[in-house]
Amino acid sequence: MMSEQYCDLTATAPSHLQTAVFYEIKDMTRGETATVLFAEDPAITLHSLNLQLRNNLRWEISRTDAGHWLTVIHRAEDVAPVDVFDSLKRDHKRLDAMFSQVIHLTDQNHLVEAHAIMRAFIEGLRKHFAVEHDILAKAIRTPPNAMGIDPTAAMMQEHNEILNQSIMIELSFDEDDATSTSVSPLLAILAGYLSKHEYREEATIFPIWIGAINKAPEAVKAALFQQVLATLAD
Ligand SMILES: [Fe+2]
Ligand SMILES: [Fe+2]
């Protein structure tokens, strides 16, 4: 029987919130959820807790009629990734989730917190690209498509674009006159670009890579998977 905890923290002092949430979720196992009610937007509390818990938490937030913030928290992974592509697709989702939080926090005018998550997002991008460039693209050659374009070259070009835009956004948080209005349009452009890129990558490059890896001996596959996990986690 899965446990569904509910806990009302609307009367808890802000300085104790993070600890209170931690006690609610610390024994939560995979598949379980904890529902927590907050008086204020809990995004910052949950992000800061999540950084301590190695990004192991996910949550959905909704508003109650009384104006409280209802949060359903669960563990990030119900099952361990099964292979290289499973872990890369999950990493896409994780990066998307971090980037959505940057957008959310920027909209709420929490620029300091948004900036911190933006920096973590860039770190995550670098690890992700390290897997795709240094491990997979180096090991597997992709033939040019019908238009004569090598999909790997196109992917790398898009990665450069994503990284450059991300760094530009990170810097724009640093400007003295940074506001939600100055940063939001840049975030919106990158959000669209990023999701198109991930979609294209999963539809065009991953199948070629999967085909190549499937032909490799089991021991090679297992070693590659470990290397990918280690690079993403490191
Ligand atoms: Fe990717
Ligand atoms: Fe990519």
Side-chain angles (χ1 to χ4, degrees), residues 104-173:
H104 174 74
L105 289 166
T106 303
D107 287 346
Q108 308 281 311
N109 235 341
H110 295 306
L111 295 188
V112 172
E113 292 77 9
H115 190 185
I117 296 173
M118 191 65 206
R119 275 192 296 260
F121 171 76
I122 292 175
E123 264 317 292
L125 277 183
R126 290 189 196 280
K127 289 177 191 170
H128 188 91
F129 294 165
V131 169
E132 291 175 343
H133 295 185
D134 302 339
I135 303 178
L136 296 170
K138 269 192 192 150
I140 305 160
R141 211 162 280 180
T142 50
N145 64 17
M147 323 262 290
I149 297 164
D150 175 357
T152 304
M155 174 194 79
M156 288 188 166
Q157 214 176 335
E158 290 176 10
H159 286 172
N160 284 336
E161 180 66 27
I162 290 168
L163 203 53
N164 287 341
Q165 286 190 29
S166 299
I167 291 167
M168 212 169 71
I169 291 171
E170 208 261 303
L171 291 173
S172 72
F173 275 113

Side-chain angles (χ1 to χ4, degrees), residues 180-192:
S180 165
T181 330
S182 69
V183 185
S184 284
L186 302 172
L187 292 172
I189 293 168
L190 181 54

Side-chain angles (χ1 to χ4, degrees), residues 92 128 132 159 197 201 206:
H92 283 167
H128 188 91
E132 291 175 343
H159 286 172
H197 164 77
E201 192 169 77
F206 283 14

